[in-house]
Amino acid sequence: MGILEKIAEIEKEISRTQKNKATEYHLGLLKAKLAKYRAQLLEPSKSAGAKGEGFDVMKSGDARVALIGFPSVGKSTFLSLMTSTESEAASYEFTTLTCIPGVIEYKGANIQLLDLPGIIEGAAQGKGRGRQVIAVARTADVVIMMLDATKGEVQRELLEKELESVGIRLNRTKPNIYFKPKKGGGLSYNSTVPLTQCSEKLVQLILHEYKIFNAEVLFREDCTPDEFIDVIVGNRVYMPCLYVYNKVDQISIEEVDRLARRPHSVVISCGMKLNLDYLLETLWEYLALICIYTKKRGERPNFAEAIIMRRGASVEHVCHRIHRTLASQFKYALVWVSLLYFSLFLQ
């Protein structure tokens, strides 16, 4: 039996197993096996095959945004509107066959936008070059999931499932679990909060499935078995995602209002160029970028050129950004904080 068949069999077993106290251990083991098989599926094939056009694009600018979605949802049109790059757009599917990069210039920042080929159901198993597309998406700072507003929620659910199966966790934070394998001593299990979804026995069964018999496990929050498996595997990517519903000019105003009120969602129309400015503002917030302006003594801040940094950056990070030797000669800084900008005076 191949890996795909094993995955399908386990998924069927999970779907027909009732969730209750008596089956939680069985479900935990099934989920652990499912994660193992999915990880094997993503490993590159050892057999030599014909090499196709690559998807590798050098990371540039202040941030990277991956544009993913089903074919013919308006990704190429969106790239052409937001950047100076012309991406071929047509009324037929799979117009884009490789990764096309563009640059969004916004508030002094250069944001790299990647137009990826449309993915289809089963992309995680390699259908329609899905593995290459998803591999590029894992390197992004933010994912824009372009959806056709006329198709309802079907596309969103399918894409979320595909990304979930390859270890991409959208709009979620990393579970607060301390996990460290050891050479001996058995299992050390503790928690700082009451646990309602994981027990010591279930944790032990999941670890045994991964051939781990000695480890330290400390739960700092009430996590699910799936989240504990993510910590064991260790290759999960947690990233913000913006759900962008295109073609809202083709649906009713009531439906537009319903979609716009969904979490992490923005409604636009590339054809009529509607709401693109609000999308840029929201994208800026999701990227968590800030503008820092330098100021010379006795002069006004230089608002012509901004230093783009991540939210939470320190003065030392800014020094390294200006020049790698500046931090060693640094004495003090005067920082003016505004709702609109940061101004920094270095001495």
Side-chain angles (χ1 to χ4, degrees):
M1 184 184 293
I3 295 178
L4 287 174
E5 289 77 11
K6 290 179 180 178
I7 290 175
E9 186 178 337
I10 293 175
E11 287 177 340
K12 288 179 182 177
E13 179 70 17
I14 291 175
S15 64
R16 63 173 178 254
T17 302
Q18 268 191 329
K19 293 182 181 179
N20 53 49
K21 197 72 176 176
T23 61
E24 63 177 1
Y25 302 123
H26 179 59
L27 284 172
L29 281 176
L30 288 176
K31 289 176 179 178
K33 289 180 180 179
L34 186 61
K36 279 180 62 178
Y37 287 135
R38 282 175 173 168
Q40 292 176 21
L41 193 64
L42 293 175
E43 292 175 359
S45 176
K46 295 181 181 179
S47 59
K51 293 185 178 180
E53 188 176 358
F55 274 62
D56 292 338
V57 176
M58 183 178 294
K59 198 168 186 177
S60 64
D62 301 295
R64 169 179 277 196
V65 177
L67 193 60
I68 68 170
F70 281 93
S72 297
V73 293
K75 299 188 300 297
S76 298
T77 305
F78 178 76
L79 179 78
S80 301
L81 285 173
M82 306 303 288
T83 71
S84 58
T85 304
E86 288 295 327
S87 183
E88 184 181 356
S91 57
Y92 52 87
E93 296 185 348
F94 298 105
T95 311
T96 304
L97 298 176
T98 188
C99 179
I100 300 176
V103 177
I104 300 174
E105 296 179 359
Y106 186 69
K107 292 186 178 181
N110 292 323
I111 303 170
Q112 186 182 46
L113 181 65
L114 301 181
D115 178 18
L116 298 171
I119 63 177
I120 58 176
E121 188 176 1
Q125 284 77 42
K127 293 184 180 179
R129 304 192 76 176
R131 288 188 191 176
Q132 295 96 318
V133 173
I134 292 172
V136 174
R138 289 174 68 95
T139 66
D141 299 302
V142 170
V143 168
I144 290 182
M145 189 180 291
M146 187 71 73
L147 305 165
D148 189 338
T150 63
K151 301 291 179 63
E153 302 300 322
V154 178
Q155 291 186 344
R156 177 170 175 167
E157 292 171 0
L158 288 174
L159 285 173
E160 284 178 336
K161 182 181 177 182
E162 293 295 328
L163 296 178
E164 181 84 12
S165 66
V166 294
I168 297 178
R169 305 292 182 254
L170 302 177
N171 297 320
R172 285 159 56 182
T173 57
K174 188 175 180 179
N176 195 358
I177 301 174
Y178 174 76
F179 170 71
K180 182 181 179 181
K182 300 186 300 183
K183 292 183 179 179
L187 174 64
S188 173
Y189 172 86
N190 288 292
S191 65
T192 59
V193 295
L195 299 181
T196 62
Q197 304 174 84
C198 280
S199 64
E200 183 174 0
K201 182 181 177 182
L202 178 57
V203 167
Q204 194 171 29
L205 286 173
I206 292 174
L207 288 174
H208 286 182
E209 182 63 32
Y210 283 90
K211 303 294 188 290
I212 300 173
F213 303 98
N214 305 286
E216 288 183 29
V217 179
L218 174 62
F219 283 80
R220 296 192 179 99
E221 62 180 351
D222 189 13
C223 297
T224 65
D226 292 312
E227 290 173 326
F228 178 60
I229 292 169
D230 287 347
V231 172
I232 296 173
V233 175
N235 63 350
R236 304 310 193 212
V237 178
Y238 300 85
M239 63 173 60
C241 175
L242 200 53
Y243 301 96
V244 178
Y245 291 89
N246 189 25
K247 305 179 184 179
V248 295
D249 53 303
Q250 300 178 21
I251 60 176
S252 65
I253 191 66
E254 292 81 13
E255 182 68 6
V256 172
D257 183 65
R258 187 187 70 82
L259 294 175
R261 293 179 184 276
R262 294 208 61 185
H264 313 292
S265 300
V266 177
V267 293
I268 66 167
S269 172
C270 291
M272 299 184 70
K273 300 180 181 178
L274 297 176
N275 214 29
L276 297 178
D277 52 348
Y278 176 70
L279 172 57
L280 274 180
E281 292 177 13
T282 308
L283 178 61
W284 179 267
E285 290 298 318
Y286 274 63
L287 287 169
L289 298 176
I290 57 173
C291 296
I292 299 177
Y293 302 94
T294 56
K295 177 186 181 301
K296 292 183 179 179
R297 187 188 297 272
E299 298 182 12
R300 294 182 63 81
N302 178 19
F303 293 117
E305 295 183 7
I307 301 173
I308 308 299
M309 301 294 294
R310 296 281 176 182
R311 198 175 297 153
S314 66
V315 174
E316 183 181 4
H317 294 139
V318 178
C319 291
H320 285 299
R321 184 67 178 268
I322 296 172
H323 197 276
R324 64 179 181 273
T325 62
L326 182 60
S328 60
Q329 304 167 2
F330 175 78
K331 295 180 181 178
Y332 67 91
L334 300 177
V335 183
W336 290 266
V337 182
S338 168
L339 292 176
L340 298 176
Y341 63 88
F342 286 109
S343 182
L344 180 67
F345 172 71
L346 298 174
Q347 178 65 37

